[in-house]
Amino acid sequence: MKNDDFRVQFPLWNIALLLILSIWSYGVVYAIDLVVSDFEGVFYTTGQQVYINWHMPSVLSLVIGQLALIAFFIIYFIKLRQYNKNNPGNELRPFTLFKPHEFLEDDELFRQVTERTTKKVYVLYAQAVPVVIFLIMFLPTHRFLYIALLFGLLIAHNALYYWAVRKFMNGKTQLSHTGIKPEKRLSKFTLVMIAIIVFLALAFPTYQVVQIQTNQERMLEQFERCLEDGHEAILTYDGTVNCSKD
Protein backbone atom coordinates (compact mmCIF):
# COMPACT_ATOMS: atom_id res chain seq x y z
CA MET A 1 0.00 0.00 0.00
CA LYS A 2 1.30 3.46 -0.97
CA ASN A 3 0.60 7.01 0.12
CA ASP A 4 -1.43 7.62 -3.03
CA ASP A 5 -3.76 4.72 -2.24
CA PHE A 6 -7.39 5.84 -2.32
CA ARG A 7 -8.08 4.58 1.21
CA VAL A 8 -5.07 6.42 2.63
CA GLN A 9 -6.21 9.65 0.97
CA PHE A 10 -9.86 9.19 1.91
CA PRO A 11 -9.69 11.58 4.93
CA LEU A 12 -8.54 14.30 2.50
CA TRP A 13 -11.65 13.65 0.41
CA ASN A 14 -13.72 13.95 3.56
CA ILE A 15 -12.06 17.27 4.40
CA ALA A 16 -12.72 18.60 0.89
CA LEU A 17 -16.38 17.59 1.13
CA LEU A 18 -16.75 19.17 4.58
CA LEU A 19 -15.22 22.45 3.37
CA ILE A 20 -17.64 22.53 0.43
CA LEU A 21 -20.59 21.73 2.70
CA SER A 22 -19.59 24.50 5.11
CA ILE A 23 -19.68 27.00 2.24
CA TRP A 24 -22.93 25.62 0.85
CA SER A 25 -24.66 25.48 4.25
CA TYR A 26 -24.21 29.25 4.75
CA GLY A 27 -26.47 29.89 1.76
CA VAL A 28 -28.85 27.09 2.76
CA VAL A 29 -29.36 28.59 6.23
CA TYR A 30 -30.17 31.97 4.67
CA ALA A 31 -32.58 30.38 2.18
CA ILE A 32 -34.39 28.51 4.97
CA ASP A 33 -34.72 31.75 6.95
CA LEU A 34 -36.33 33.41 3.91
CA VAL A 35 -38.83 30.58 3.48
CA VAL A 36 -39.76 30.62 7.18
CA SER A 37 -40.27 34.42 7.11
CA ASP A 38 -42.31 34.25 3.84
CA PHE A 39 -39.56 36.22 2.05
CA GLU A 40 -40.31 39.30 4.12
CA GLY A 41 -37.78 42.03 3.52
CA VAL A 42 -36.57 40.60 0.23
CA PHE A 43 -38.53 43.15 -1.80
CA TYR A 44 -38.65 46.86 -0.99
CA THR A 45 -39.85 49.93 -2.81
CA THR A 46 -38.32 53.34 -3.37
CA GLY A 47 -40.94 55.62 -4.86
CA GLN A 48 -42.49 53.57 -7.64
CA GLN A 49 -39.48 51.31 -8.09
CA VAL A 50 -39.39 47.79 -6.62
CA TYR A 51 -35.99 46.40 -5.69
CA ILE A 52 -34.77 42.99 -4.59
CA ASN A 53 -32.64 42.97 -1.46
CA TRP A 54 -30.05 40.37 -2.43
CA HIS A 55 -27.77 39.08 0.30
CA MET A 56 -24.83 38.45 -2.01
CA PRO A 57 -22.60 36.42 0.38
CA SER A 58 -25.43 33.92 0.92
CA VAL A 59 -26.37 33.79 -2.76
CA LEU A 60 -22.75 33.27 -3.81
CA SER A 61 -22.15 30.59 -1.17
CA LEU A 62 -25.27 28.73 -2.30
CA VAL A 63 -24.34 28.84 -5.99
CA ILE A 64 -20.63 28.18 -5.54
CA GLY A 65 -21.30 25.44 -2.99
CA GLN A 66 -23.80 23.71 -5.28
CA LEU A 67 -21.42 23.76 -8.25
CA ALA A 68 -18.55 22.56 -6.06
CA LEU A 69 -20.66 19.66 -4.74
CA ILE A 70 -21.50 18.54 -8.27
CA ALA A 71 -17.84 18.73 -9.31
CA PHE A 72 -16.74 16.91 -6.17
CA PHE A 73 -19.06 13.93 -6.63
CA ILE A 74 -18.19 13.61 -10.32
CA ILE A 75 -14.48 13.43 -9.49
CA TYR A 76 -15.16 11.19 -6.48
CA PHE A 77 -17.10 8.58 -8.46
CA ILE A 78 -14.47 8.59 -11.21
CA LYS A 79 -11.73 8.00 -8.62
CA LEU A 80 -13.77 5.31 -6.84
CA ARG A 81 -14.49 3.49 -10.09
CA GLN A 82 -10.82 3.56 -10.99
CA TYR A 83 -9.86 2.16 -7.57
CA ASN A 84 -12.43 -0.66 -7.76
CA LYS A 85 -11.22 -1.53 -11.26
CA ASN A 86 -7.63 -1.82 -10.04
CA ASN A 87 -8.63 -3.69 -6.84
CA PRO A 88 -11.30 -6.23 -7.81
CA GLY A 89 -10.82 -8.19 -4.59
CA ASN A 90 -11.16 -5.19 -2.30
CA GLU A 91 -13.87 -3.03 -3.84
CA LEU A 92 -15.38 -0.07 -1.99
CA ARG A 93 -18.98 1.06 -1.99
CA PRO A 94 -19.79 4.67 -2.86
CA PHE A 95 -21.24 5.28 0.60
CA THR A 96 -20.99 3.42 3.89
CA LEU A 97 -22.41 3.94 7.37
CA PHE A 98 -20.82 1.28 9.55
CA LYS A 99 -17.24 0.96 8.34
CA PRO A 100 -15.51 4.08 6.99
CA HIS A 101 -13.36 3.57 3.92
CA GLU A 102 -10.28 4.98 5.65
CA PHE A 103 -10.10 2.00 8.03
CA LEU A 104 -7.03 -0.07 7.11
CA GLU A 105 -7.33 -3.70 8.21
CA ASP A 106 -5.38 -5.63 5.58
CA ASP A 107 -3.23 -7.29 8.24
CA GLU A 108 -2.50 -7.15 11.97
CA LEU A 109 -0.14 -4.18 11.64
CA PHE A 110 -2.68 -2.08 9.77
CA ARG A 111 -5.34 -3.02 12.32
CA GLN A 112 -3.06 -1.75 15.10
CA VAL A 113 -2.53 1.51 13.22
CA THR A 114 -6.29 1.90 12.71
CA GLU A 115 -7.05 1.17 16.35
CA ARG A 116 -4.41 3.57 17.57
CA THR A 117 -5.53 6.31 15.20
CA THR A 118 -9.19 5.97 16.18
CA LYS A 119 -8.07 6.24 19.81
CA LYS A 120 -6.48 9.59 18.95
CA VAL A 121 -9.71 10.73 17.33
CA TYR A 122 -11.63 9.71 20.46
CA VAL A 123 -9.29 11.79 22.62
CA LEU A 124 -9.77 14.73 20.23
CA TYR A 125 -13.55 14.56 20.63
CA ALA A 126 -13.27 14.12 24.39
CA GLN A 127 -11.30 17.37 24.61
CA ALA A 128 -12.91 19.43 21.86
CA VAL A 129 -16.63 18.68 22.29
CA PRO A 130 -16.84 20.32 25.77
CA VAL A 131 -15.19 23.43 24.28
CA VAL A 132 -17.71 23.49 21.43
CA ILE A 133 -20.61 23.08 23.88
CA PHE A 134 -19.23 25.94 25.99
CA LEU A 135 -18.98 28.22 22.95
CA ILE A 136 -22.52 27.34 21.83
CA MET A 137 -23.86 28.15 25.30
CA PHE A 138 -22.19 31.54 25.69
CA LEU A 139 -22.06 32.91 22.13
CA PRO A 140 -25.52 34.22 21.18
CA THR A 141 -24.89 34.47 17.47
CA HIS A 142 -26.18 33.19 14.16
CA ARG A 143 -26.77 29.44 14.13
CA PHE A 144 -24.43 29.03 11.15
CA LEU A 145 -21.58 29.51 13.62
CA TYR A 146 -22.62 26.33 15.40
CA ILE A 147 -22.75 24.48 12.08
CA ALA A 148 -19.28 25.82 11.25
CA LEU A 149 -17.95 24.65 14.62
CA LEU A 150 -19.21 21.13 14.00
CA PHE A 151 -17.75 21.12 10.51
CA GLY A 152 -14.46 22.34 11.98
CA LEU A 153 -14.47 19.49 14.49
CA LEU A 154 -15.08 16.93 11.73
CA ILE A 155 -12.28 18.46 9.65
CA ALA A 156 -9.92 18.22 12.64
CA HIS A 157 -10.96 14.59 13.09
CA ASN A 158 -10.09 13.70 9.48
CA ALA A 159 -6.88 15.76 9.54
CA LEU A 160 -5.72 13.93 12.67
CA TYR A 161 -6.56 10.56 11.16
CA TYR A 162 -4.74 11.31 7.91
CA TRP A 163 -1.72 12.73 9.73
CA ALA A 164 -1.34 9.59 11.85
CA VAL A 165 -1.78 7.12 8.98
CA ARG A 166 0.48 9.11 6.67
CA LYS A 167 3.16 9.13 9.36
CA PHE A 168 2.97 5.36 9.56
CA MET A 169 3.11 5.02 5.76
CA ASN A 170 6.26 7.17 5.70
CA GLY A 171 7.93 4.88 8.25
CA LYS A 172 8.00 7.47 11.04
CA THR A 173 5.90 5.48 13.50
CA GLN A 174 7.95 3.73 16.18
CA LEU A 175 7.15 0.10 16.87
CA SER A 176 7.63 -1.95 19.99
CA HIS A 177 7.28 -5.62 20.90
CA THR A 178 3.76 -4.99 22.18
CA GLY A 179 2.64 -3.00 19.18
CA ILE A 180 2.95 0.64 18.24
CA LYS A 181 4.71 2.85 20.73
CA PRO A 182 2.49 5.62 22.11
CA GLU A 183 3.39 9.16 21.11
CA LYS A 184 3.42 12.26 23.24
CA ARG A 185 2.40 14.78 20.60
CA LEU A 186 -1.31 14.13 20.55
CA SER A 187 -2.10 16.79 23.12
CA LYS A 188 -0.19 19.38 21.10
CA PHE A 189 -2.10 18.57 17.94
CA THR A 190 -5.38 18.60 19.84
CA LEU A 191 -4.61 21.98 21.38
CA VAL A 192 -3.87 23.39 17.93
CA MET A 193 -7.23 22.10 16.64
CA ILE A 194 -9.06 23.53 19.64
CA ALA A 195 -7.28 26.86 19.14
CA ILE A 196 -8.46 26.94 15.52
CA ILE A 197 -12.03 26.19 16.58
CA VAL A 198 -11.94 28.92 19.23
CA PHE A 199 -10.50 31.36 16.68
CA LEU A 200 -13.36 30.63 14.28
CA ALA A 201 -15.85 31.00 17.11
CA LEU A 202 -14.50 34.46 17.94
CA ALA A 203 -13.87 35.60 14.36
CA PHE A 204 -17.42 34.98 13.17
CA PRO A 205 -19.12 37.17 15.83
CA THR A 206 -16.56 39.88 15.10
CA TYR A 207 -17.47 39.70 11.42
CA GLN A 208 -21.15 39.94 12.37
CA VAL A 209 -20.54 43.07 14.45
CA VAL A 210 -18.77 44.73 11.53
CA GLN A 211 -21.55 43.67 9.18
CA ILE A 212 -24.23 45.05 11.53
CA GLN A 213 -22.44 48.39 11.71
CA THR A 214 -22.15 48.53 7.92
CA ASN A 215 -25.84 47.68 7.50
CA GLN A 216 -26.83 50.36 10.00
CA GLU A 217 -24.89 53.00 8.08
CA ARG A 218 -26.50 51.84 4.83
CA MET A 219 -29.97 51.93 6.39
CA LEU A 220 -29.39 55.43 7.73
CA GLU A 221 -28.41 56.66 4.26
CA GLN A 222 -31.50 55.09 2.68
CA PHE A 223 -33.71 56.49 5.44
CA GLU A 224 -32.39 60.04 5.04
CA ARG A 225 -32.57 59.87 1.25
CA CYS A 226 -36.18 58.72 1.42
CA LEU A 227 -37.14 61.59 3.73
CA GLU A 228 -35.33 64.12 1.55
CA ASP A 229 -37.42 62.94 -1.43
CA GLY A 230 -40.57 63.66 0.57
CA HIS A 231 -41.56 60.03 0.97
CA GLU A 232 -42.51 57.95 3.99
CA ALA A 233 -39.71 55.71 5.27
CA ILE A 234 -40.60 52.46 7.03
CA LEU A 235 -37.91 50.40 8.72
CA THR A 236 -38.59 46.65 8.67
CA TYR A 237 -37.37 44.17 11.25
CA ASP A 238 -34.84 42.61 8.90
CA GLY A 239 -32.96 45.84 8.32
CA THR A 240 -34.42 47.12 5.05
CA VAL A 241 -36.05 50.51 4.41
CA ASN A 242 -39.35 50.63 2.54
CA CYS A 243 -39.79 54.01 0.90
CA SER A 244 -43.27 54.93 -0.30
CA LYS A 245 -45.37 58.00 -0.91
CA ASP A 246 -47.54 59.34 1.91
Side-chain angles (χ1 to χ4, degrees):
M1 186 178 297
K2 300 180 180 179
N3 285 331
D4 59 352
D5 188 278
F6 185 68
R7 289 182 298 166
V8 175
Q9 294 182 345
F10 206 82
L12 297 180
W13 288 83
N14 290 337
I15 291 174
L17 179 59
L18 291 168
L19 289 174
I20 295 172
L21 288 175
S22 63
I23 296 173
W24 180 67
S25 63
Y26 183 74
V28 171
V29 169
Y30 178 74
I32 292 175
D33 289 342
L34 290 182
V35 173
V36 172
S37 63
D38 294 328
F39 295 91
E40 184 175 352
V42 176
F43 303 97
Y44 66 94
T45 60
T46 302
Q48 296 181 348
Q49 299 291 328
V50 179
Y51 297 93
I52 301 178
N53 183 29
W54 294 108
H55 189 261
M56 291 309 299
S58 300
V59 174
L60 289 175
S61 68
L62 188 61
V63 174
I64 294 175
Q66 190 69 40
L67 294 176
L69 281 174
I70 295 174
F72 173 86
F73 282 112
I74 291 175
I75 299 173
Y76 169 76
F77 282 114
I78 293 175
K79 184 70 174 180
L80 181 65
R81 182 179 179 183
Q82 184 181 31
Y83 173 84
N84 289 336
K85 183 179 179 180
N86 297 332
N87 300 272
N90 191 22
E91 296 183 352
L92 300 177
R93 295 180 180 180
F95 304 101
T96 179
L97 296 176
F98 301 104
K99 184 180 178 181
H101 291 326
E102 59 266 26
F103 279 9
L104 305 176
E105 298 181 339
D106 294 0
D107 53 36
E108 182 62 28
L109 184 59
F110 279 113
R111 280 194 289 270
Q112 291 181 10
V113 173
T114 298
E115 291 174 359
R116 178 171 175 268
T117 307
T118 52
K119 180 180 178 181
K120 287 185 176 184
V121 173
Y122 174 84
V123 174
L124 171 67
Y125 278 108
Q127 296 180 358
V129 168
V131 176
V132 173
I133 293 175
F134 177 83
L135 294 174
I136 291 175
M137 289 175 57
F138 293 97
L139 289 178
T141 183
H142 196 275
R143 71 179 186 278
F144 173 73
L145 172 63
Y146 311 140
I147 298 174
L149 288 174
L150 294 177
F151 276 131
L153 187 57
L154 290 172
I155 290 173
H157 154 189
N158 283 276
L160 175 60
Y161 195 97
Y162 176 76
W163 174 78
V165 172
R166 181 66 181 269
K167 188 174 181 180
F168 167 76
M169 298 297 295
N170 290 335
K172 297 180 180 179
T173 301
Q174 299 179 1
L175 303 178
S176 64
H177 296 291
T178 58
I180 301 176
K181 184 178 180 180
E183 297 179 358
K184 299 181 180 179
R185 287 197 244 177
L186 175 60
S187 59
K188 181 179 179 180
F189 182 92
T190 305
L191 289 175
V192 171
M193 292 297 103
I194 293 176
I196 293 175
I197 293 175
V198 172
F199 171 77
L200 292 175
L202 296 177
F204 191 79
T206 303
Y207 166 77
Q208 281 194 315
V209 171
V210 174
Q211 190 177 39
I212 290 173
Q213 183 177 0
T214 303
N215 290 337
Q216 287 179 343
E217 294 176 355
R218 178 181 56 82
M219 279 191 311
L220 183 59
E221 292 178 359
Q222 292 180 354
F223 198 86
E224 292 177 349
R225 186 165 55 249
C226 184
L227 295 179
E228 290 175 357
D229 293 338
H231 299 152
E232 180 182 2
I234 301 175
L235 181 64
T236 61
Y237 80 97
D238 61 344
T240 60
V241 177
N242 289 336
C243 189
S244 59
K245 294 183 178 180
D246 295 339

